[in-house]
Amino acid sequence: MNNLKIGLLPLYVKLYDDIWPEARERVDAFCLTIVSEMEKRGLEVEQAKACRIKPEFEAAVRAFEQAEVDAIVTLHLAYSPSLESADVLAATELPLIVLDTTPTYDFGPSQHPDEILYNHGIHGVQDMCNLLIRKGKSFRIEAGHWADSDVLDRVADNAKAAKIAKKLRNAKVGSIGKPFDGMGDFRVPTDELRSWIGIEAIFVDPLDSGNAFDSISEERIDREMELNAVRFHSGTLDPETHRQSTKADLAVRDWIERNELTAFTANFLEVTRASALPCMPFLEASKAMERGIGYAGEGDVLTAALVGALLSVYPDTSFAEMFCPDWHNNLIFLSHMGEMNLRIAAGKPDLMEKSFPFTDAGNPVVAYGKFRGGQAVYVNLAPGRNNSYSLLLSPVEMVEGDGEDRMRDVIRGWFQPVIPVADFLTAYSEHGGTHHGVVVYGDTIRVLERFGKIMGWNTVIIK
């Protein structure tokens, strides 16, 4: 997982420094405790000094913006008048997570009255949140005792969700060719993707792409082929087919890096003998996802951007497509033409030549693998009416299966939803799920649900 960075913004009131300056030692110590606890959860913390008046809030938020934190986390160390902070927090584009906690767990009648000074930040939270709502600033809030609840875990979940949202809103997707003619479910005009989400798309015409794809040296092709021979079962692979496929893969890799793409997609019907690429770069799509670059097939810019954003937090993420129902075993079979994140392969993939009858382009080399077993979430981003979107989240169990594997020359995977397959497929299409999706391994449902809410989408859990 790439580094998650939050800006911790402690809120305080100048009046207390004027009257009870001795209180700051304990107040500041509690703030450092929260920093330490967040770091234990894998977050890099950019900490501001306790802010009391508007200029201090302005300086802190400006520093967070310059540090490119993924989100601001507020921590009320006492009551803090909202008019000192609300304008500044409402103006920043950084996501806002409100941590509503206090140092002391038990505050019954036997508690010493001096503890009030250190534990009354909740009404500062209420003051600030009211102003933020009135100013139209969205935020996530998590409440609970820092040590005797899972509130800090929930804050960390929100930080992960904010990072995914940030990556999606800054996605840059390269498309080799235009979207597959006739496929409509994932297609959204690029100007709408840019204005409503922030996704930038650049298109390369394979027939006019000599300037897009650089020539690749023979030595570099040799090195890549040698690496392929080590990491894959390659059998009796034709050397010339392997060479031309590797040339295409490396040309696409350079194009990705040169344009600083976060994801790419390709329409296989537009790769022909006349194009700059000698064949479809299926193997590079698999390697790109392994490196954290998003991918989706058939010119699907939207799903490619989503895969890239999810990879920024969850490296064990892959583009996938539901192909066939296994009614007998209550499973869904996943596949695609030749792409999967190599990180999630069960065992060593098989490197094979793929027959390519669709155009007159050369045959590509593909790493065929099986999706490994384990807990996962099947994710789909479905465009809706009037520039709306639904994020469909389906908790699933990836299943490797037993017995003879007769599909070694196919990208393959199976998942079992938590409800019967028939009910799952019904619900999926009732909510407009598209035929392209994403598999995210791990217990990720809480983070992904928060991601959908940060984006303002209709977020549906199918279970």
Side-chain angles (χ1 to χ4, degrees):
M1 181 176 69
N2 296 332
N3 285 344
L4 285 157
K5 184 190 292 187
I6 63 167
L8 184 66
L9 181 66
L11 291 87
Y12 202 57
V13 57
K14 186 174 181 298
L15 177 66
Y16 291 177
D17 276 343
D18 295 339
I19 299 175
W20 301 300
E22 66 277 6
R24 280 297 292 274
E25 181 178 356
R26 179 174 163 185
V27 166
D28 290 341
F30 176 60
C31 188
L32 290 175
T33 296
I34 297 300
V35 170
S36 175
E37 291 295 322
M38 298 310 294
E39 290 174 341
K40 291 177 184 177
R41 289 160 174 81
L43 276 64
E44 180 182 344
V45 181
E46 187 87 11
Q47 183 189 354
K49 293 182 179 179
C51 296
R52 308 161 304 167
I53 56 178
K54 192 170 185 177
E56 294 174 349
F57 286 102
E58 290 173 337
V61 170
R62 187 163 56 248
F64 292 152
E65 291 170 339
Q66 292 172 348
E68 298 183 341
V69 302
D70 296 307
I72 295 174
V73 176
T74 64
L75 173 65
H76 276 75
L77 300 172
Y79 174 70
S80 180
S82 63
L83 290 176
E84 300 290 351
S85 61
D87 283 340
V88 179
L89 293 176
T92 183
E93 294 184 0
L94 291 172
L96 189 62
I97 304 167
V98 178
L99 169 55
D100 193 2
T101 192
T102 55
T104 303
Y105 182 56
D106 182 354
F107 219 92
S110 62
Q111 186 56 261
H112 195 287
D114 287 353
E115 285 298 295
I116 295 173
L117 178 63
Y118 302 100
N119 289 277
H120 67 283
I122 62 171
H123 61 277
V125 170
Q126 293 158 7
D127 185 355
M128 182 186 74
C129 289
N130 175 273
L131 264 288
L132 292 175
I133 291 170
R134 288 161 65 182
K135 293 177 181 296
K137 174 66 175 178
S138 62
F139 58 89
R140 298 285 303 165
I141 180 167
E142 301 293 351
H145 188 258
W146 67 275
D148 289 275
S149 78
D150 66 347
V151 67
L152 297 183
D153 294 328
R154 285 182 271 129
V155 169
D157 286 346
N158 279 293
K160 294 173 185 176
K163 184 178 184 69
I164 297 170
K166 175 183 175 181
K167 289 292 184 180
L168 186 64
R169 287 170 173 153
N170 291 279
K172 186 178 181 183
V173 183
S175 180
I176 302 170
K178 295 179 180 178
F180 192 103
D181 191 27
M183 282 187 187
D185 56 357
F186 58 69
R187 192 177 302 191
V188 179
T190 54
D191 59 336
E192 292 181 13
L193 288 176
R194 184 168 52 251
S195 60
W196 287 92
I197 299 179
I199 299 169
E200 179 184 353
I202 63 172
F203 291 86
V204 171
D205 181 351
L207 296 177
D208 185 28
S209 54
N211 293 325
F213 300 115
D214 291 342
S215 60
I216 307 298
S217 71
E218 295 301 315
E219 293 80 5
R220 190 172 168 207
I221 294 173
D222 289 338
R223 288 195 302 272
E224 190 74 11
M225 290 172 64
E226 290 169 2
L227 291 172
N228 288 344
V230 171
R231 73 169 306 187
F232 304 116
H233 294 299
S234 54
T236 56
L237 192 63
D238 178 65
E240 287 309 310
T241 301
H242 191 185
R243 177 168 291 276
Q244 75 168 6
S245 190
T246 303
K247 179 179 179 181
D249 292 336
L250 293 174
V252 170
R253 187 180 306 172
D254 288 351
W255 170 67
I256 291 170
E257 294 175 356
R258 189 167 55 253
N259 290 279
E260 298 182 328
L261 302 180
T262 64
F264 85 102
T265 181
N267 181 350
F268 64 90
L269 289 179
E270 293 197 31
V271 178
T272 67
R273 185 174 296 174
S275 63
L277 296 175
C279 59
M280 265 294 293
F282 286 124
L283 184 54
E284 182 56 27
S286 298
K287 291 180 177 179
M289 285 188 279
E290 185 182 37
R291 298 195 309 273
I293 301 296
Y295 177 82
E298 286 89 54
D300 182 354
V301 170
L302 178 62
T303 305
L306 177 64
V307 174
L310 292 168
L311 281 165
S312 71
V313 172
Y314 296 113
D316 290 353
T317 290
S318 183
F319 170 68
E321 186 173 310
M322 287 186 268
F323 259 67
C324 308
D326 179 353
W327 307 108
H328 177 70
N329 294 299
N330 196 45
L331 301 171
I332 300 287
F333 172 63
L334 299 172
S335 190
H336 210 252
M337 193 174 292
E339 320 95 315
M340 68 179 293
N341 184 345
L342 298 172
R343 284 181 59 95
I344 53 87
K348 199 172 184 178
D350 296 296
L351 199 64
M352 299 183 188
E353 178 177 347
K354 177 178 180 60
S355 176
F356 195 77
F358 310 102
T359 73
D360 61 359
N363 286 346
V365 165
V366 173
Y368 290 118
K370 179 194 292 187
F371 283 60
R372 73 167 185 264
Q375 183 181 16
V377 177
Y378 190 84
V379 182
N380 178 258
L381 181 54
R385 292 171 59 87
N386 302 318
N387 296 304
S388 65
Y389 293 86
S390 293
L391 185 69
L392 309 186
L393 306 174
S394 309
V396 301
E397 185 71 23
M398 299 299 297
V399 178
E400 292 182 32
D402 300 319
E404 181 185 4
D405 187 353
R406 299 175 62 188
M407 296 191 183
R408 295 189 69 88
D409 58 350
V410 175
I411 296 291
R412 59 211 185 276
W414 290 262
F415 73 73
Q416 185 170 65
V418 295
I419 57 178
V421 161
D423 295 338
F424 168 80
L425 291 173
T426 299
Y428 188 83
S429 288
E430 282 179 341
H431 290 291
T434 74
H435 78 287
H436 283 173
V438 192
V439 173
V440 183
Y441 279 82
D443 182 13
T444 63
I445 195 76
R446 292 201 320 182
V447 172
L448 297 177
E449 184 178 14
R450 284 164 167 79
F451 160 59
K453 291 179 178 178
I454 287 173
M455 295 299 300
W457 296 331
N458 175 39
T459 303
V460 179
I461 299 178
I462 300 177
K463 63 179 183 178

